[in-house]
Amino acid sequence: MAAASHNLNRSTFRLRLPTGLEIAAFCSFIFVVAPLVVVAGSALNADSMTFPPRSLSLKWMVMALTEGSFVNGAMVSLVVALVSASVSTLFALPVALVLRRMSPAVGRVLTLSFMGPLLVPSVIFALALYQVMMYIFGLTNLFVLMIGHIIITMPYPVRTITAVTENLDPALEDAASSIGATPWRTFLSITLPLIKPGVIAGFLFAFITSWNDFSVSIFLTPRELQPLPIKIYEYLLYQYRPIIAAVSTWSVIGSAIIVIAIDRLVGLNVFTGRRA
């Protein structure tokens, strides 16, 4: 009995070695998180842009919120992101509803076509977009920049709204129509409340994409109204101080908050078409 109990204790407390898949997952996690840790650590350095920080200070984090150039860039990015995300979501809403009523084969082809900006290398797509805009408008301004951002952000609300409509029961809309509700009334009272999480998630995805975009902005940005990523790029060309890491850290924090909100709304697996 004692020997059996001893063997049981040994098997219970035996150290389990990680599998190769777990090691690969952990290495991938470190590879993704490490640059963010370095940037955040550099932002907390009191003196210079080095990691690990020699002495901790929040002065650069505070200065990043008051530096005029970065504040102006953030305001431009905010306006462009809000307008682009709103317009792309409004355009994506009828597109997703039409795709829902099509045959699966046709729907997949059209959905793939709307994913075009995600399938082409961003620099190549941005260069092509610049050539088209110059051919049509002949110049770059804030309006042209917004058009470019609407195009590159539209795949996100199309995908999120489409994923939500896949689980929408058509019988609910048929029931509303059978009691005399107009199509517009049915949409406002039945369809929109049911797909609202996908609409909001698509808007937030589009907002993040527009806010962080560099490839399209570098081609279409007017000189007098530069968004934050372009401000950061131009600053790095001539200076290298921890304030740039602080600005990046604030941007990462804001993006992380939005991603958490999306996960709470519909789950981050919405792009696979599967709901949690």
Side-chain angles (χ1 to χ4, degrees), residues 51-217:
F51 184 86
R54 299 187 181 93
S55 58
L56 297 179
S57 173
L58 292 176
K59 72 174 185 177
W60 299 111
M61 297 294 291
V62 175
M63 189 179 297
L65 299 176
T66 58
E67 180 72 24
S69 176
F70 294 125
V71 171
N72 292 337
M75 293 303 298
V76 173
S77 290
L78 179 63
V79 171
V80 172
L82 285 175
V83 173
S84 302
S86 300
V87 175
S88 63
T89 303
L90 288 175
F91 285 169
L93 186 56
V95 169
L97 295 177
V98 170
L99 291 175
R100 171 187 168 223
R101 301 180 182 276
M102 292 184 172
S103 63
V106 176
R108 281 194 294 270
V109 172
L110 292 179
T111 300
L112 187 62
S113 67
F114 280 105
M115 298 295 111
L118 305 181
L119 305 178
V120 181
S122 58
V123 174
I124 302 300
F125 186 83
L127 179 59
L129 193 58
Y130 169 76
Q131 293 177 328
V132 171
M133 292 301 176
M134 290 300 295
Y135 178 79
I136 296 175
F137 298 102
L139 76 166
T140 59
N141 52 37
L142 194 62
F143 176 72
V144 172
L145 178 62
M146 288 180 180
I147 293 178
H149 278 226
I150 290 170
I151 294 174
I152 65 171
T153 57
M154 193 169 174
Y156 297 97
V158 167
R159 189 65 194 98
T160 57
I161 299 173
T162 301
V164 173
T165 57
E166 289 175 356
N167 297 325
L168 188 62
D169 187 0
L172 298 174
E173 296 170 309
D174 294 338
S177 299
S178 66
I179 60 175
T182 63
W184 181 245
R185 180 69 177 175
T186 300
F187 171 75
L188 293 178
S189 302
I190 304 297
T191 307
L192 185 58
L194 292 175
I195 66 175
K196 183 170 64 174
V199 174
I200 297 175
F203 171 84
L204 294 177
F205 263 125
F207 182 90
I208 291 179
T209 303
S210 176
W211 175 272
N212 292 319
D213 176 76
F214 176 81
S215 299
V216 171
S217 297

Side-chain angles (χ1 to χ4, degrees), residues 221-237:
T221 294
R223 182 64 190 173
E224 64 277 7
L225 293 171
Q226 295 179 329
L228 185 59
I230 307 303
K231 291 286 188 180
I232 293 175
Y233 171 73
E234 291 199 345
Y235 186 91
L236 284 173
L237 290 177

Side-chain angles (χ1 to χ4, degrees), residues 253-276:
I253 291 173
S255 299
I257 292 173
I258 294 178
V259 169
I260 293 172
I262 296 173
D263 187 45
R264 295 284 182 152
L265 285 170
V266 294
L268 295 179
N269 58 352
V270 68
F271 271 88
T272 67
R274 298 188 300 271
R275 298 291 304 277

